[in-house]
Amino acid sequence: MTEAATDTREVLVDIKGLVKQFTIPGTKAVVHACSDVDLTLYKGETLGVIGESGSGKTTLGRCVLRLISPTAGAVIFEGRDVTKMTGAEVRQLRTDMQIVFQEPFDALNPQITIWKQIVEPLRIHSNMSKQQRRERALELLALVGLPPSVADAIPAMLSPGALQRASIARAISTSPKLVVLDEPTSALPPEAEAEIMALLKRLQRELGLTYIFISHDLALVRSICDRVAIMYLSQVVELGTRDEIFNHPRHPYSRALLASVLLPDPKQRRDQSNRAERLEGEIPSPINLPQGCYLATRCPYVKDRCRQEPQRLTEAGQSDHFARCWRMTEGDLTEEEIERTREQRRADYRAARLAAGV
């Protein structure tokens, strides 16, 4: 986006220095789930959050909604700090912020009919009569592409795709401004996944929704998101527009993550050009984080300064593109060095295969 376009966007959520630590019972140790997270979410956009399991994606989404309380930092929603709200204020906030969980079978009560579950938020947050809630449930079912007969079904009678549609209907029942989508299609078969993605796009257009889309599936993120945040070991290591992230990743972890995607053509999958971007070694413990860059023990471009100096999320040359790597942001890591490293790793791989007689 250009500078002028950036200036016209309206901020919905501003996350500042977010920290979430989980204590380990019986010890003084803590697990660092989110560390120094700074993000801005604009109205009407979809922000993708990607990274390996355990990187902090789901914790970030739940902290934004105050489903769990952050250890430190602020989450500013339309000018109000969510982290400082009272219990009553948080309950009221639920009308503006909702979530769709990964597993629809777990998200819905197996003993209650679908229509009652869809309008449960309205029973709590509105003065609607039971008949009005029933009528609203039928409207919501139609909106997400489900027939009226689903209203009186229980979850066991529906397919995974229909259940996730019902979960989405419940999430939008209060006309929220923000919806956190936590792996909303990972439990679905491919056909249902495609239908849910199309539904989410349509609802965003028609209702003006803002999404945080948490996913492992890079293809889905690329298809739906406007901007993407990449997380590694509790930190956001890169943030930018979809095109910048997928076409010009700057952080070494982002390069490795995007290179890890298998290609559908077996001949291309045997090509080892992406192997040069692979990270080696173990991920550091989230209980005992490194002093400097969290990727330093696995990065092929590491220098002593990386191991000693904490990295900060810094503008990476393009507007609205940031990376947590001083070598990238200061121009110290050249394309020539990257290509030399790639060629050396390719050569090492070929030599290892020859030595093994493969």
Side-chain angles (χ1 to χ4, degrees):
M1 278 191 178
T2 64
E3 293 277 347
T6 301
D7 291 342
T8 64
R9 294 178 295 182
E10 188 174 354
V11 174
L12 181 67
V13 182
D14 196 9
I15 303 169
K16 300 179 179 180
L18 185 71
V19 175
K20 179 58 184 178
Q21 300 170 349
F22 293 99
T23 59
I24 300 176
T27 73
K28 294 183 179 180
V30 297
V31 175
H32 299 268
C34 288
S35 303
D36 189 29
V37 175
D38 293 311
L39 287 173
T40 299
L41 183 64
Y42 300 101
K43 288 186 177 180
E45 77 164 342
T46 300
L47 174 67
V49 183
I50 60 178
E52 295 169 282
S53 295
S55 60
K57 307 185 299 298
T58 293
T59 298
L60 172 61
R62 296 190 178 201
C63 283
V64 170
L65 298 178
R66 261 292 292 276
L67 293 178
I68 56 177
S69 296
T71 304
V75 178
I76 311 299
F77 178 80
E78 293 191 322
R80 300 172 293 166
D81 190 349
V82 173
T83 66
K84 291 181 169 57
M85 288 183 176
T86 65
E89 290 172 328
V90 170
R91 284 191 294 275
Q92 184 59 40
L93 182 71
R94 295 284 175 256
T95 61
D96 289 329
M97 303 168 73
Q98 287 288 333
I99 185 170
V100 176
F101 293 100
Q102 176 178 354
E103 178 51 75
F105 287 102
D106 294 336
L108 297 173
N109 189 316
Q111 298 179 324
I112 299 178
T113 56
I114 294 299
W115 84 267
K116 290 182 179 179
Q117 298 196 63
I118 287 177
V119 293
E120 177 67 10
L122 296 178
R123 187 185 68 80
I124 298 171
H125 296 292
S126 77
N127 295 321
M128 285 185 179
S129 66
K130 184 176 180 179
Q131 180 59 33
Q132 288 173 324
R133 293 197 300 271
R134 170 83 180 190
E135 292 172 359
R136 176 59 173 161
L138 295 175
E139 292 174 1
L140 290 165
L141 286 173
L143 191 59
V144 299
L146 291 175
S149 58
V150 168
D152 296 310
I154 58 172
M157 300 168 64
L158 302 181
S159 67
L163 282 177
Q164 197 63 300
R165 287 175 183 269
S167 294
I168 293 170
R170 181 175 63 180
I172 64 174
S173 63
T174 59
S175 302
K177 298 173 182 176
L178 170 66
V179 179
V180 174
L181 304 164
D182 189 2
E183 299 274 7
T185 63
S186 63
L188 305 180
E191 183 178 353
E193 177 183 272
E195 292 173 352
I196 291 297
M197 293 301 294
L199 171 63
L200 290 172
K201 291 179 181 179
R202 176 172 64 80
L203 291 176
Q204 185 173 45
R205 290 193 306 270
E206 294 178 358
L207 305 179
L209 297 171
T210 303
Y211 293 147
I212 295 178
F213 187 81
I214 299 168
S215 181
H216 287 91
D217 192 321
L218 302 184
L220 291 184
V221 169
R222 190 167 193 170
S223 73
I224 196 173
C225 296
D226 301 297
R227 292 187 302 133
V228 179
I230 299 179
M231 294 191 71
Y232 173 74
L233 203 60
S234 79
Q235 291 183 329
V236 173
V237 296
E238 188 160 359
L239 171 67
T241 64
R242 172 186 57 200
D243 290 342
E244 280 293 315
I245 292 295
F246 282 96
N247 297 331
H248 308 288
R250 303 297 304 277
H251 196 280
Y253 176 75
S254 303
R255 291 172 179 264
L257 182 67
L258 297 176
S260 69
V261 179
L262 289 175
L263 300 173
D265 186 340
K267 293 181 180 179
Q268 289 180 302
R269 287 164 65 174
R270 285 196 295 269
D271 178 11
Q272 298 303 320
S273 60
N274 283 343
R275 180 169 292 274
E277 300 288 5
R278 293 188 179 182
L279 301 174
E280 299 177 352
E282 296 294 325
I283 299 176
S285 168
I287 299 173
N288 186 23
L289 293 173
Q291 174 182 340
C293 175
Y294 292 176
L295 192 69
T297 58
R298 307 173 67 201
C299 182
Y301 313 111
V302 66
K303 285 189 173 182
D304 287 341
R305 178 183 169 188
C306 303
R307 297 186 180 94
Q308 299 164 2
E309 182 179 301
Q311 312 293 292
R312 298 200 60 79
L313 198 62
T314 307
E315 193 166 12
Q318 296 292 327
S319 175
D320 217 13
H321 194 175
F322 303 85
R324 195 181 290 268
C325 173
W326 71 266
R327 295 206 65 192
M328 283 291 177
T329 55
E330 294 183 11
D332 178 78
L333 183 58
T334 64
E335 289 299 324
E336 290 77 10
E337 181 180 348
I338 291 172
E339 190 54 39
R340 283 197 304 270
T341 303
R342 286 174 174 166
E343 289 299 329
Q344 183 60 54
R345 299 185 78 178
R346 291 188 189 109
D348 291 344
Y349 175 73
R350 290 192 291 267
R353 286 176 64 87
L354 286 173
V358 179

